[in-house]
Amino acid sequence: MKHTFFLFFILISVVCCGCGKEQETDGLKDAGKIMSEQTADMIHMQSEPVIRETATASGVRAQLTDLQPLILYVSAKEDAITQIYDVYKATFTTSSGYQTERYMVAYYRNVEIKNPLSEDAVINSEPPICVGAMVEVAADAQEAGYIFGYKSRQDMEADVLRSMDTGITHQMEK
């Protein structure tokens, strides 16, 4: 009887601990509750030219062959959006045909969005800037050049989510 009680206690402890850890790591809320898809599309429209300009700067010799919005990370207090990281997956092709995927981020600070849940949202912010590390566009930097971005999604997420001054609270995947 003591063994059964002990095993039951251990089982309950493991289940409770597992639930708590899952909630801690899955702490980002759905940005769709504070921002419409149309508002997200408006943000992408402002981000894409900045990302493209960085991805095709004079020092970049590889060709940008695909650029897709991937995820928005949003900082919001009491549902007032203040900062946004607009993440893109960029595919580059070198002259030798080698392809790489990199992750590029347009960062918005001091954001104010009026009516973010409606189709008539108005976005006011400082112009977006590309953030990230200086990374090679391909395996050989001499052939392809460098961009501001990340080599992997894991590197990007770790950097964006660890940024203490932004307080990311929401995300919206494309």
Side-chain angles (χ1 to χ4, degrees):
M1 180 76 157
K2 287 182 182 179
H3 294 309
T4 305
F5 178 74
F6 184 67
L7 289 173
F8 179 73
F9 178 75
I10 290 173
L11 178 64
I12 295 299
S13 296
V14 169
V15 169
C16 289
C17 289
C19 291
K21 287 181 183 174
E22 186 174 300
Q23 290 172 351
E24 285 175 20
T25 59
D26 194 22
L28 295 179
K29 299 174 187 171
D30 178 13
K33 294 182 180 180
I34 60 171
M35 174 190 308
S36 70
E37 285 289 332
Q38 291 84 2
T39 302
D41 289 343
M42 287 172 52
I43 292 166
H44 295 319
M45 285 176 49
Q46 292 178 27
S47 298
E48 190 169 331
V50 173
I51 297 284
R52 279 191 185 281
E53 183 179 333
T54 301
T56 58
S58 62
V60 180
R61 291 174 293 286
Q63 182 180 5
L64 178 67
T65 51
D66 192 33
L67 185 63
Q68 297 296 321
L70 182 67
I71 190 167
L72 284 173
Y73 290 107
V74 180
S75 177
K77 292 180 183 171
E78 299 174 13
D79 295 337
I81 297 166
T82 57
Q83 297 178 20
I84 298 169
Y85 288 90
D86 192 5
V87 180
Y88 279 72
K89 183 168 71 171
T91 304
F92 292 90
T93 306
T94 65
S95 59
S96 64
Y98 182 77
Q99 284 194 330
T100 56
E101 288 182 349
R102 297 292 185 248
Y103 296 85
M104 300 183 71
V105 181
Y107 171 62
Y108 294 78
R109 64 180 178 192
N110 299 325
V111 176
E112 181 183 326
I113 302 178
K114 294 181 180 16
N115 304 318
L117 288 169
S118 76
E119 293 180 24
D120 302 324
V122 177
I123 302 169
N124 295 311
S125 75
E126 295 179 17
I129 58 170
C130 279
V131 296
M134 202 62 145
V135 296
E136 302 88 6
V137 175
D140 179 9
Q142 296 297 332
E143 180 184 10
Y146 293 91
I147 58 164
F148 282 107
Y150 302 91
K151 289 184 178 183
S152 70
R153 181 173 177 157
Q154 293 80 12
D155 290 346
M156 175 276 300
E157 287 176 343
D159 194 44
V160 169
L161 295 178
R162 125 176 103 230
S163 179
M164 296 302 283
D165 63 329
T166 58
I168 300 300
T169 56
H170 295 73
Q171 71 180 19
M172 179 186 287
E173 289 215 40
K174 196 66 175 159

